[in-house]
Amino acid sequence: MKIRITIITVLCSMSLLSQEKDITTSLYDTYEKYKETSITKRRIKHQDIQPLISQYKGKEGYTVKKVGESIEGRSISLISIGTGGTDVFLWSQMHGDEPTATQAIFDILIFFDSDDFKTEKEEILSNLRLHFLPMLNPDGAEVFQRRNTLGIDINRDALQLQSPEGQILKRVRDSLNADFGFNLHDQSTYYNAERTAKPATISYLAPAYNYEKDINEVRSNAMKIIVFMNRIIQKYAPGQVGRYNDDFEPRAFGDNIQKWGTSAILIESGGYANDPEKQEIRKLNYVSILSAIYTISNKSYEAIAIDDYEKIPENDRKLFDLKIENINYPLLGNIYKMDIGIQRPEVDKKKHSDFWYSSRIMDLGDLSTYYGYETFNASGYTIKPGKLYPTKISSLNELTTIDIYSLLEKGYLYVTLNTISKEALASPAPINVVSSTFETPTDLRLNIGVNPTFYLEKNGEIEYVVINGFLINVKDKKGHFSNAMIFR
Ligand SMILES: [Zn+2]
């Protein structure tokens, strides 16, 4: 008898899972139909999302409420749909430079406003009330920074509640007394799933609500939803999920929201190869969050074993944009073998609507426990400093008329521009532009923080160059390149 009941339970949960698999697959396959195409870059602002919010004002079934203002007076809105008894609250961009889920929220809203998936949507909206709060920190978004205008991290303000943005989050959570809370963030692209070269494209946490890290029903429900979403991400980005350390942080919102009785699910959007604007990750947010909403509405998550939560690999931070292995580094008459770890930090342009890369050597030596989005085994190659091209140029435009690759092949990695305008930030061509007073390095001294510009020589020939952290094969002209530097 017992066995038969178990079999029936397994069959039931299997059919539920396959049902969800189906909706997940359909959501993934039809995503482009629901994508909000006016916001496809990470540097989105308050003004970009106002028309998107406004279109739901007065619409049947929707409640759009202004729930407060940021320090600089930007409105913060809550969009609610559904008539069910379970409240699900989703808020994004508490950190101003973490916009991926804000974009996904508007995709999800388009999904609900469409004519498709009628049965599933009826089920969701009759069982749940969904509440979306996109961009909790619009002042931070304006200047693409983590913190708010007070200079504080809103996510450490859950107890003191000094920031109006933190007060809004607390007030809305309390007024809804939400059953589920999705705390939506972005994390550094340099996180990986521990002991693998896979980026942590998505990381999860069901935050602890006390130092003992106890698991009550509120927290275990969050864990179950995470296990459910992890399975979905594994399908589309295998191995690219991390689990955050669950040490209790008494000041953080996630931890307190869990404590206040809302099952808190932290989702962090990390990195994905060749996806600088995180649009693939946005899609994964859309698919996994919508699927999670569906599983909450039909309660199929209840059968999930929380043991699987601990099986998700831990988050680690061991990725570089470019890792060069086993290079020969000549120094003061000797040759040393080492690895080089390179990152390409972004520098914002004026008005924080765009950026350029200013790369850095982040580590040197034995980096065998680290990984790269791009890894180059430089065994047999010797690293050499770039040379200054003897002919000066008179404008940045002139770079488009020169065969840059023929210069790179000869080791010329710098070119002099007579007058560099104030506005010029970066070189659009794979060669660094320097002023006439700039001293081009004649010997190469690698160190932390140094801009990675050098060439790799083998048997007296130059095959590869690294310009501002971008590796370029000079023979076949292949390599991922965005911009070189201007040195004044
Ligand atoms: Zn964050």
Side-chain angles (χ1 to χ4, degrees):
M1 200 55 181
K2 250 188 188 163
I3 289 170
R4 192 190 291 168
I5 290 169
T6 314
I7 289 170
I8 290 168
T9 316
V10 168
L11 285 176
C12 282
S13 61
M14 271 171 66
S15 80
L16 280 171
L17 280 177
S18 66
Q19 229 179 59
E20 263 137 25
K21 227 179 235 168
D22 291 339
I23 188 177
T24 299
T25 310
S26 317
L27 289 171
Y28 189 88
D29 293 344
T30 59
Y31 171 67
E32 293 304 323
K33 230 178 133 177
Y34 310 101
K35 182 171 177 170
E36 174 50 63
T37 52
S38 71
I39 40 172
T40 54
K41 301 236 167 171
R42 284 170 295 142
R43 284 159 179 78
I44 51 172
K45 315 283 182 220
H46 181 259
Q47 63 182 35
D48 299 325
I49 65 166
Q50 294 323 297
L52 308 182
I53 294 171
S54 292
Q55 67 195 36
Y56 297 105
K57 278 182 191 160
K59 196 163 210 155
E60 201 193 330
Y62 290 78
T63 311
V64 181
K65 251 193 316 202
K66 179 178 162 181
V67 286
E69 282 183 359
S70 66
I71 292 175
E72 292 177 14
R74 293 188 176 88
S75 61
I76 294 169
S77 299
L78 186 73
I79 305 148
S80 303
I81 43 171
T83 54
T86 300
D87 285 277
V88 180
F89 177 29
L90 307 94
W91 63 95
S92 73
Q93 220 168 340
M94 166 196 291
H95 296 134
D97 56 354
E98 301 179 4
T100 304
T102 300
Q103 300 176 353
I105 282 178
F106 288 106
D107 303 336
I108 291 172
L109 285 168
I110 292 178
F111 166 84
F112 278 106
D113 197 29
S114 73
D115 292 327
D116 320 316
F117 294 92
K118 275 208 166 102
T119 323
E120 292 87 351
K121 286 196 301 202
E122 263 170 41
E123 189 172 356
I124 291 170
L125 297 177
S126 62
N127 289 322
L128 309 180
R129 268 185 71 75
L130 303 172
H131 311 273
F132 301 93
L133 193 163
M135 198 183 276
L136 180 65
N137 181 4
D139 298 350
E142 201 64 22
V143 290
F144 203 62
Q145 71 177 26
R146 176 182 179 83
R147 292 174 179 243
N148 73 353
T149 299
L150 257 180
I152 69 164
D153 181 344
I154 297 168
N155 207 23
R156 296 292 177 267
D157 194 33
L159 300 180
Q160 291 298 317
L161 294 171
Q162 286 304 293
S163 63
E165 300 89 355
Q167 291 164 14
I168 290 165
L169 181 56
K170 171 84 163 78
R171 196 168 61 239
V172 173
R173 204 280 344 157
D174 288 353
S175 71
L176 302 173
N177 197 17
D179 300 278
F180 289 88
F182 287 79
N183 187 9
L184 305 171
H185 291 252
D186 280 74
Q187 66 183 356
S188 163
T189 55
Y190 302 121
Y191 280 100
N192 62 307
E194 64 168 350
R195 293 196 292 280
T196 77
K198 304 260 185 167
T201 300
I202 298 282
S203 292
Y204 293 113
L205 175 68
Y209 58 90
N210 60 13
Y211 283 110
E212 292 71 32
K213 306 183 188 184
D214 289 335
I215 301 172
N216 61 2
E217 201 192 334
V218 172
R219 188 170 179 219
S220 80
N221 281 343
M223 288 174 163
K224 289 175 178 181
I225 298 298
I226 287 172
V227 170
F228 175 83
M229 287 192 291
N230 172 52
R231 288 180 193 154
I232 293 171
I233 305 297
Q234 294 295 345
K235 185 176 163 186
Y236 297 109
Q240 295 178 207
V241 179
R243 175 172 49 92
Y244 261 93
N245 176 304
D246 68 347
D247 286 348
F248 179 55
E249 169 48 78
R251 302 167 300 164
F253 264 101
D255 305 52
N256 282 284
I257 282 172
Q258 199 86 275
K259 193 170 168 177
W260 298 330
T262 294
S263 295
I265 296 143
L266 173 76
I267 305 181
E268 299 269 358
S269 294
Y272 189 95
N274 305 316
D275 185 21
E277 295 296 349
K278 298 200 183 191
Q279 295 302 290
E280 184 59 28
I281 312 179
R282 164 189 183 169
K283 179 177 176 179
L284 293 175
N285 268 266
Y286 166 87
V287 172
S288 58
I289 292 171
L290 257 181
S291 302
I293 286 171
Y294 189 52
T295 195
I296 292 171
S297 82
N298 63 28
K299 298 197 165 150
S300 59
Y301 71 90
E302 288 177 351
I304 291 173
I306 60 166
D307 297 356
D308 288 351
Y309 177 79
E310 301 285 336
K311 291 178 193 156
I312 301 171
E314 280 188 51
N315 241 13
D316 203 353
R317 195 174 174 149
K318 291 219 159 46
L319 272 176
F320 296 113
D321 288 306
L322 172 62
K323 183 186 167 195
I324 299 174
E325 297 174 336
N326 305 312
I327 193 126
N328 292 322
Y329 174 33
L331 183 69
L332 302 175
N334 285 313
I335 290 178
Y336 303 86
K337 195 179 79 173
M338 60 162 67
D339 307 325
I340 306 174
I342 291 166
Q343 289 183 356
R344 304 179 191 127
E346 297 174 359
V347 184
D348 272 22
K349 294 184 179 172
K350 252 187 196 166
K351 295 185 178 164
H352 306 276
S353 306
D354 202 358
F355 68 95
W356 53 284
Y357 293 103
S358 175
S359 301
R360 300 275 181 275
I361 292 177
M362 297 304 287
D363 208 349
L364 292 164
D366 176 1
L367 302 179
S368 53
T369 57
Y370 284 78
Y371 310 93
Y373 278 94
E374 191 182 0
T375 300
F376 179 69
N377 186 345
S379 293
Y381 289 89
T382 301
I383 188 167
K384 295 277 180 76
K387 296 181 289 189
L388 179 68
Y389 185 52
T391 311
K392 293 181 178 185
I393 56 168
S394 52
S395 75
L396 278 181
N397 280 342
E398 208 178 312
L399 290 173
T400 57
T401 65
I402 302 172
D403 179 8
I404 304 284
Y405 288 92
S406 71
L407 304 192
L408 301 182
E409 247 183 305
K410 298 183 189 92
Y412 295 121
L413 308 186
Y414 301 90
V415 62
T416 308
L417 174 58
N418 277 329
T419 320
I420 304 175
S421 79
K422 264 190 188 167
E423 290 73 36
L425 299 170
S427 165
I431 190 162
N432 290 328
V433 172
V434 301
S435 69
S436 43
T437 54
F438 180 81
E439 282 180 40
T440 310
T442 49
D443 70 332
L444 188 67
R445 288 297 175 99
L446 299 177
N447 215 331
I448 307 308
V450 166
N451 181 266
T453 291
F454 41 75
Y455 64 82
L456 311 184
E457 195 181 74
K458 195 181 203 173
N459 306 324
E461 274 207 44
I462 299 172
E463 270 188 73
Y464 290 91
V465 300
V466 172
I467 304 269
N468 188 31
F470 294 98
L471 178 72
I472 296 165
N473 181 328
V474 295
K475 302 285 180 199
D476 63 13
K477 305 182 183 184
K478 274 190 185 145
H480 164 78
F481 172 79
S482 291
N483 69 269
M485 297 293 288
I486 291 179
F487 294 114
R488 286 177 166 85

